């Protein structure tokens, strides 16, 4: 939810991610990676945006986090559409902007955001 803050994981290896290096990371990032890696391994079917969101919530809840992620968009979208980090019809150069903010010295300081990036 928009009013919630991020949650840190002191050791992301608890999420069974490939090569976690035992460092801190974000709970939501770790849960999303956990779900997308599992979906990638299951070539029988692809998860929709909605299914991905619900599975991420299940992972977080199962690990005791109260964070409830939501999906928001500035444009109408079909949440039953397959969730792909890179859509099949994507061509050309791909770029991404990744930002890790730890709020150092503030209430709610985080440790894993920069590790996530």
């Amino acid at each position: 939810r928009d009013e919630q803050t991020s949650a840190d994981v002191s050791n992301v290896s608890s999420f069974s991610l490939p090569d976690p290096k035992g460092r801190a990371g974000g709970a939501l990032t770790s849960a999303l990676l956990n779900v997308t890696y599992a979906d990638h391994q299951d070539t029988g079917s692809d998860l929709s945006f909605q299914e991905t969101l619900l599975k991420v919530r299940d992972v977080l809840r199962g690990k005791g986090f109260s964070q409830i992620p939501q999906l928001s968009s500035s444009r109408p979208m079909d949440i039953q559409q397959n969730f792909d980090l890179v859509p099949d019809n994507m061509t050309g150069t791909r770029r991404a902007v990744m930002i890790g903010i730890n709020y150092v010295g503030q209430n709610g300081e985080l440790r894993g955001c920069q590790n996530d990036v």
Side-chain angles (χ1 to χ4, degrees), residues 28-77:
L28 175 56
T29 302
S30 298
L32 178 61
L33 288 172
N34 182 277
V35 168
T36 55
Y37 283 138
D39 184 44
H40 181 72
Q41 297 299 318
D42 178 10
T43 57
S45 65
D46 290 323
L47 295 175
S48 68
F49 279 90
Q50 181 179 24
E51 292 167 327
T52 301
L53 177 63
L54 295 175
K55 285 185 177 284
V56 166
R57 287 179 180 174
D58 288 344
V59 169
L60 287 170
R61 188 179 319 109
K63 297 204 173 285
F65 292 96
S66 60
Q67 198 173 359
I68 304 171
Q70 67 179 19
L71 177 63
S72 59
S73 173
S74 61
R75 300 178 182 167
M77 62 180 290

